[in-house]
Amino acid sequence: MLLLHRRLGYFGRRCLSQQVQKPSSPFKILFLGRDEFSCLVLDELVASKGDVHSPFSILYQLTFLFFGEEGEGQYWINPHYDYVHEALKLPCSSYSSTTIRIQTLEGSPALGYLHRSHYQRNKNLLLNMSLLPASFSRIVPGSMLDQFPKDSRLNVHPSLLPLYRGPAPIQHTLLDGVLKNTGVGILSMLKAKEGIDCGDVWGIMSVDIDDDTTFHDLRDQLGTLGGKALVNVLQQKRDGTAQSLPQSVIEAGLREDGLQESPLPKAPAITIQHSYVDFPTMTAKKIRRIHNAISHQRPLTAIHASENRLIQLHSPTIGPDVPLENSQEVVPGDAFMTGDGLAIACARTSGDENTPSEQTFIIVKEVKMENKALMPVSDWWNGAKSMGWVNDKGITKFGRFEEFTNSDNQGGGGLFKDMMTWVAAGILWDAL
């Protein structure tokens, strides 16, 4: 496995970019955020704010711009707004449009004192203006980036760049299960046409992960680390020692040292397809890893072979070898009840000349069927037996998504076609 904390050494070993000019006074900052990760970063930033007259103070004025969402006739109020506005006593503005427009923000309390008209007569003040997004979930337009110096547009990204560029780096790091550690980077923000998450890296911090690490565990760790890394970079900018490293140099170093041979992994947005369970090809360990990575967004999704029913699998654990009482050999997708819950046979481990291949199982304690509430698996099992879904050997079967795709193409069953229509509309589980 790759131990990517070795990359920290590249900041001392490789050619660095030019040092930035030291600002004349503490920073004025517009912080862009949306979620728990944003607030964890912000906590560290606020904690660093000392006496504004102290030469060691990095902050002078801090404003938070939230992103919310507009639905059909309703406005989603960001649940973290009150925390930032009331608990941290920071001026806040909330912005609901999916597209940020600099013309709209010019009159808002968030951007007011940062707008170019306020400092265009004193170019030295440009060095004190900073734009700091952290999990903002929207591309900041070039017109807004132009309001800030290039070296003062810093993004907090929860991965060890250049690995996992994109909107879901934490999830894909856990989904892939390749790394033994990951981290958070502070990078320069570029315009979209120059590359998303491709700016120079100013600093990184790393953390160990394992097969039991969940999204929430890692998000909280990286949020706090990201805040500390951001404070470090701002302090270095204040004392004139900040330096950055192009991601191309980091990538070249990784390949030179044999730490990265394949194409760089990316982190696209999570879709329902990421939650699909394919028992013949996925071991219990792999399925549990999917749950750890994305269950907060997309519960594990399987298809029950009886009438092509969609079913969500909740609270899965990796089961021991749990054979049937009659010692019948099971195949992936076979499921039966045990004292611990519903045991579902998954793919076998690969094995080698020293370790034999073994059948793996997941144990599920709660499920959710279409148009039904979340229920204990024992209640679902009783219903499955009454519906005739359990055979005389005490087994019920789960299918594969590709099989139902094929059967639909051949004219069989319309449920899968309807399901894919819902997926395309992004409302599948709203209908369940």
Side-chain angles (χ1 to χ4, degrees):
M1 296 294 180
L2 305 183
L3 298 177
L4 293 181
H5 63 271
R6 289 177 56 187
R7 295 174 54 194
L8 288 165
Y10 292 134
F11 279 86
R13 292 164 45 195
R14 306 286 175 176
C15 178
L16 295 169
S17 65
Q18 74 277 10
Q19 291 180 309
V20 298
Q21 185 178 350
K22 181 179 178 179
S24 58
S25 62
F27 296 99
K28 293 184 177 182
I29 291 174
L30 177 61
F31 189 94
L32 310 181
R34 172 189 172 115
D35 56 17
E36 292 88 348
F37 181 86
S38 307
C39 289
L40 289 167
V41 173
L42 186 64
D43 282 340
E44 297 296 323
L45 198 58
V46 171
S48 72
K49 183 176 182 179
D51 181 358
V52 297
H53 301 294
S54 166
F56 300 105
S57 174
I58 62 170
L59 299 182
Y60 172 67
Q61 195 164 7
L62 177 65
T63 301
F64 197 111
L65 176 63
F66 271 113
F67 176 75
E69 289 181 346
E70 288 178 322
E72 295 182 3
Q74 62 182 357
Y75 175 67
W76 175 73
I77 301 299
N78 192 301
H80 306 291
Y81 185 94
D82 287 343
Y83 170 71
V84 174
H85 186 60
E86 301 296 336
L88 298 183
K89 305 298 183 183
L90 292 176
C92 296
S93 288
S94 189
Y95 191 69
S96 61
S97 175
T98 56
T99 303
I100 305 169
R101 295 180 178 85
I102 193 67
Q103 293 83 359
T104 303
L105 292 173
E106 285 176 8
S108 75
L111 192 62
Y113 66 86
L114 291 170
H115 190 246
R116 185 176 298 276
S117 62
H118 287 242
Y119 53 73
Q120 60 184 357
R121 285 173 291 185
N122 188 346
K123 299 300 183 182
N124 290 333
L125 289 180
L126 282 170
L127 296 173
N128 305 98
M129 308 298 173
S130 292
L131 180 69
L132 305 179
S135 192
F136 190 53
S137 300
R138 286 297 179 271
I139 295 175
V140 179
S143 57
M144 186 173 184
L145 293 178
D146 286 340
Q147 309 300 310
F148 301 86
K150 286 187 176 181
D151 289 331
S152 295
R153 306 178 323 213
L154 302 177
N155 186 22
V156 184
H157 187 80
S159 78
L160 291 177
L161 293 165
L163 306 184
Y164 296 107
R165 295 176 180 137
I170 297 176
Q171 295 94 318
H172 283 280
T173 297
L174 297 177
L175 282 172
D176 290 350
V178 175
L179 306 181
K180 287 300 184 182
N181 65 1
T182 184
V184 62
I186 310 302
L187 70 152
S188 294
M189 288 197 68
L190 304 178
K191 295 183 179 181
K193 63 183 180 181
E194 298 173 310
I196 304 299
D197 298 328
C198 293
D200 290 358
V201 178
W202 293 88
I204 60 175
M205 288 188 175
S206 64
V207 62
D208 292 337
I209 55 176
D210 56 35
D211 291 333
D212 294 323
T213 302
T214 68
F215 170 85
H216 292 105
D217 294 336
L218 192 53
R219 177 203 64 196
D220 292 351
Q221 287 181 289
L222 294 182
T224 299
L225 278 181
K228 293 181 184 299
L230 179 60
V231 169
N232 287 344
V233 170
L234 291 175
Q235 288 173 335
Q236 291 166 3
K237 284 178 174 289
R238 279 287 289 136
D239 61 27
T241 62
Q243 295 177 308
S244 64
L245 188 65
Q247 291 189 40
S248 59
V249 174
I250 301 175
E251 181 180 353
L254 290 173
R255 298 192 184 282
E256 177 183 322
D257 291 351
L259 295 176
Q260 183 69 38
E261 297 179 356
S262 57
L264 295 175
K266 298 181 180 180
I270 297 299
T271 68
I272 193 172
Q273 283 83 358
H274 289 106
S275 72
Y276 290 167
V277 177
D278 185 49
F279 294 105
T281 61
M282 295 179 180
T283 64
K285 185 177 179 180
K286 169 65 175 176
I287 294 170
R288 173 66 182 177
R289 193 161 67 234
I290 296 172
H291 171 79
N292 288 346
I294 67 170
S295 61
H296 65 290
Q297 291 176 275
R298 302 285 187 180
L300 294 174
T301 307
I303 290 185
H304 193 269
S306 299
E307 302 182 18
N308 301 1
R309 297 284 186 128
L310 286 175
I311 182 170
Q312 292 178 353
L313 309 177
H314 291 257
S315 307
T317 58
I318 298 177
D321 188 7
V322 283
L324 292 172
E325 292 181 0
N326 60 6
S327 299
Q328 174 183 338
E329 184 177 351
V330 296
V331 297
D334 286 356
F336 51 92
M337 282 298 293
T338 71
D340 295 324
L342 182 69
I344 309 175
C346 310
R348 301 181 68 89
T349 58
S350 57
D352 54 39
E353 58 183 14
N354 298 317
T355 306
S357 173
E358 295 181 351
Q359 180 68 61
T360 65
F361 295 87
I362 60 166
I363 307 296
V364 178
K365 299 183 182 300
E366 294 180 303
V367 297
K368 186 181 186 305
M369 296 289 289
E370 300 171 69
N371 304 312
K372 302 290 184 181
L374 183 68
M375 67 181 74
V377 73
S378 57
D379 292 347
W380 176 84
W381 183 257
N382 291 333
K385 288 194 294 185
S386 67
M387 294 290 290
W389 296 350
V390 180
N391 64 25
D392 56 4
K393 296 179 180 178
I395 292 179
T396 190
K397 292 183 177 291
F398 287 85
R400 305 183 69 182
F401 281 93
E402 63 180 28
E403 292 175 356
F404 294 103
T405 305
N406 294 336
S407 66
D408 186 65
N409 289 339
Q410 295 169 5
L415 177 63
F416 192 84
K417 181 178 181 180
D418 292 339
M419 183 192 75
M420 293 310 296
T421 301
W422 297 339
V423 169
I427 59 173
L428 174 62
W429 290 113
D430 291 339
L432 299 188

